[in-house]
Amino acid sequence: MKTITVEISWEEKNYCCGWSLDGFGAIICTAKSIEQLKSSFESSIKQQAQDMVADGEEVPAWLASGEYRIEYNLAVSALLRQAEQFTTMAAISRVTGINQKLLSHYANSVKNPRQKQRDRIITGLHEIGNYFLAVR
């Protein structure tokens, strides 16, 4: 089974993702929530494959038959926007030691963090989550 890897990011006021394959074209989606985005992407790729087969165009067998799985990765911008539902940038800043303004730049896709910064953000979010898990 093939794996389609899709990165979800935040642009302007929406989550977005895209994927392309030579000979198949591209699927680009935007939505207000990650759940809506995933649903839109999955239905779009399926519909495009069906339409191409119906038009007699060549489509890789694994794509036409739906023998694939989709793996979603969150860019830091999407990760921070998703985290805002549960915490604040100030809290993330305190726990990670990353300046709040810099976190805002990451959340707005103004800047892209290196892997070390991404790891600090994820560790910080886990720390915040563990704090709430410990509440009895």
Side-chain angles (χ1 to χ4, degrees):
M1 180 173 280
K2 293 272 188 174
T3 299
I4 295 172
T5 303
V6 179
E7 182 173 88
I8 297 173
S9 62
W10 177 266
E11 296 295 332
E12 309 238 346
K13 297 181 180 185
N14 291 298
Y15 293 99
C16 62
C17 69
W19 176 80
S20 67
L21 180 67
D22 286 339
F24 182 75
I27 305 290
I28 308 290
C29 296
T30 65
K32 294 290 181 193
S33 73
I34 289 177
E35 295 75 23
Q36 290 171 335
L37 183 72
K38 288 179 178 181
S39 176
S40 177
F41 181 81
E42 290 164 16
S43 64
S44 294
I45 197 168
K46 183 178 179 180
Q47 187 64 54
Q48 184 164 324
Q50 288 173 349
D51 291 348
M52 289 178 73
V53 168
D55 290 344
E57 297 180 57
E58 282 193 37
V59 177
W62 60 270
L63 198 51
S65 65
E67 294 179 23
Y68 57 85
R69 68 181 195 86
I70 301 171
E71 180 179 288
Y72 295 99
N73 295 324
L74 291 179
V76 170
S77 58
L79 181 65
L80 289 170
R81 290 298 177 181
Q82 186 74 359
E84 282 183 317
Q85 296 179 59
F86 310 104
T87 190
T88 64
M89 287 295 175
I92 297 170
S93 176
R94 279 192 301 275
V95 78
T96 62
I98 300 171
N99 180 289
Q100 191 172 342
K101 186 172 182 173
L102 183 56
L103 285 173
S104 179
H105 286 305
Y106 293 156
N108 291 305
S109 298
V110 173
K111 293 185 176 186
N112 291 315
R114 291 186 299 250
Q115 186 63 42
K116 185 176 178 182
Q117 287 287 75
R118 185 183 200 289
D119 293 344
R120 283 175 68 188
I121 292 166
I122 291 171
T123 299
L125 291 172
H126 288 179
E127 191 174 320
I128 291 168
N130 286 334
Y131 172 79
F132 286 107
L133 287 172
V135 175
R136 301 264 180 220

